Amino acid sequence: KNRMQPLIVCGVLSGTSVDAIDVAIVKVSSSPTLTVETLFFDTYDFPEDLRSRIMALFQGSITSRDVCMLNFEIGEAFGEAILLAIKDAEIKKTDVHLIASHGQTIWHE
């Protein structure tokens, strides 16, 4: 049988509190059964200006252009947090197989 080699996966998200960017680094293995092992987890602060503009989304006081621009800025902030987490976890960037981003929650009921 072909067995999948273990994968190192980074997961990143921020919820509606916008208190921080959460980054988890896990190892996913499938031999003999599927297992997920947490290798590292930490939270990283948003730049305050970016956090304020994300919070403005919740009030509806932002344009669709601003939403589009924030999409890129949030992605950059997530990328920086991932790079910090990889460094803090003392693993090499080349060891990471996959990055999964939930994104920024701006609305849920």
Side-chain angles (χ1 to χ4, degrees):
K1 280 186 171 180
N2 285 338
R3 295 273 183 203
M4 179 180 84
Q5 293 296 317
L7 298 177
I8 303 297
V9 179
C10 292
V12 59
L13 68 85
S14 176
T16 53
S17 66
V18 196
D19 57 349
I21 301 167
D22 300 327
V23 181
I25 301 175
V26 300
K27 179 167 70 171
V28 180
S29 304
S30 66
S31 180
T33 60
L34 183 65
T35 59
V36 179
E37 174 189 356
T38 301
L39 302 176
F40 181 83
F41 174 82
D42 208 345
T43 59
Y44 298 89
D45 292 334
F46 271 104
E48 190 54 43
D49 177 61
L50 178 57
R51 183 178 189 276
S52 295
R53 288 183 289 130
I54 293 169
M55 296 298 285
L57 285 170
F58 308 147
Q59 308 305 316
S61 59
I62 197 164
T63 68
S64 57
R65 180 187 182 280
D66 293 332
V67 171
C68 291
M69 297 300 292
L70 277 172
N71 181 50
F72 289 98
E73 291 181 58
I74 291 167
E76 289 174 8
F78 281 10
E80 290 173 14
I82 290 166
L83 290 173
L84 285 171
I86 289 169
K87 181 181 176 186
D88 293 345
E90 299 180 350
I91 62 174
K92 295 183 288 188
K93 289 185 277 188
T94 55
D95 290 339
V96 176
H97 297 97
L98 177 68
I99 296 172
S101 175
H102 164 278
Q104 172 61 54
T105 302
I106 60 170
W107 180 262
H108 62 77
E109 292 185 23

